[in-house]
Amino acid sequence: KNQVEQSPQSLIILEGKNCTLQCNYTVSPFSNLRWYKQDTGRGPVSLTIMTFSENTKSNGRYTATLDADTKQSSLHITASQLSDSASYICVVSPVYYGNNRLAFGKGNQVVVIP
Amino acid sequence: DAGITQSPRYKITETGRQVTLMCHQTWSHSYMFWYRQDLGHGLRLIYYSAAADITDKGEVPDGYVVSRSKTENFPLTLESATRSQTSVYFCASSESGGTNEKLFFGSGTQLSVL
């Protein structure tokens, strides 16, 4: 069973609108939760990294939240732009293992239309 | 600032052939990783390296060989390619093995095994 589940699998939004992506995880204990953006044909690029003690982290129009009690995270995109069309990947790092035991979600595919 | 580069960008090969994917980073990062990305799966770790001449298996190492004679290079070899190895391969690096270290990805190699 996948340790990181993301929803919705895909969504289409109008340019200028907001959207929220969900990530549920079972990795425990964990040291941090990350969100990556992956443009088509490119490698993932880090958006945010939150340690287990952080509740929110922003990067421009991207805001990630974390609820360690319910094991849920969300990524909120404000005032979407066409360049936000991408896959957004939730990644959880278990305690003690660093980057060699990361648990990756399958991604949320976002398409922004004019 | 070249960062992390992968070559070739695209590769088509035949079943049974040996193929090597190249990865080069200019940051002198200690850790390097190879992942594969397939539809329906999150990124999966093939091999990783903590330093020159130190490598270890990841989640899906079968059929792959790695080496790291220099810090900046981390080639991945498929000794006898199979159709199931058709995938997009990503190389990544991080400065150290710390649990909160950011991971930097290359642009990927799309490999098709016919």
Side-chain angles (χ1 to χ4, degrees):
Chain A
K1 180 172 167 52
N2 200 7
Q3 295 180 294
V4 180
E5 299 284 353
Q6 295 187 240
S7 62
Q9 185 174 352
S10 62
L11 75 161
I12 300 172
I13 59 173
L14 288 173
E15 186 179 11
K17 298 296 186 182
N18 303 335
C19 73
T20 300
L21 312 176
Q22 300 292 338
C23 173
N24 295 332
Y25 61 92
T26 59
V27 178
S28 183
F30 75 102
S31 62
N32 62 72
L33 185 145
R34 315 170 186 198
W35 283 93
Y36 284 83
K37 179 188 180 189
Q38 184 176 20
D39 293 320
T40 300
R42 309 292 294 178
V45 175
S46 178
L47 288 176
T48 61
I49 298 178
M50 291 181 290
T51 65
F52 65 92
S53 60
E54 294 180 292
N55 299 121
T56 186
K57 185 70 72 79
S58 291
N59 179 355
R61 294 179 297 101
Y62 300 101
T63 300
T65 63
L66 174 63
D67 186 333
D69 291 332
T70 61
K71 294 185 173 58
Q72 293 181 324
S73 177
S74 64
L75 181 69
H76 186 74
I77 305 175
T78 303
S80 60
Q81 300 177 359
L82 297 178
S83 59
D84 293 330
S85 294
S87 178
Y88 293 84
I89 303 172
C90 178
V91 185
V92 182
S93 175
V95 172
Y96 307 128
Y97 289 109
N99 284 333
N100 57 319
R101 287 284 195 277
L102 298 177
F104 289 83
K106 297 177 184 178
N108 306 98
Q109 187 67 45
V110 174
V111 176
V112 181
I113 58 175
Chain B
D1 184 0
I4 184 164
T5 55
Q6 294 183 235
S7 62
R9 190 80 172 88
Y10 303 94
K11 177 72 176 178
I12 299 174
T13 190
E14 295 177 337
T15 301
R17 291 195 181 269
Q18 183 181 81
V19 60
T20 296
L21 310 184
M22 305 302 292
C23 179
H24 175 81
Q25 53 106 353
T26 59
W27 294 309
S28 298
H29 283 175
S30 295
Y31 276 71
M32 296 187 74
F33 307 82
W34 274 106
Y35 290 91
R36 60 179 290 172
Q37 187 174 43
D38 304 289
L39 283 175
H41 292 274
L43 284 155
R44 292 182 290 175
L45 182 64
I46 304 171
Y47 269 95
Y48 69 99
S49 169
D53 298 321
I54 301 175
T55 62
D56 207 349
K57 296 178 180 179
E59 179 186 356
V60 289
D62 293 343
Y64 303 95
V65 174
V66 293
S67 62
R68 194 166 176 207
S69 58
K70 293 183 178 181
T71 300
E72 61 267 30
N73 296 324
F74 191 38
L76 176 73
T77 297
L78 288 67
E79 293 188 300
S80 179
T82 64
R83 289 196 180 89
S84 65
Q85 293 177 310
T86 292
S87 186
V88 181
Y89 291 86
F90 288 99
C91 180
S93 71
S94 64
E95 188 169 355
S96 74
T99 54
N100 295 325
E101 280 294 329
K102 189 181 291 188
L103 202 58
F104 296 88
F105 287 86
S107 294
T109 294
Q110 188 167 320
L111 176 67
S112 295
V113 183
L114 306 178

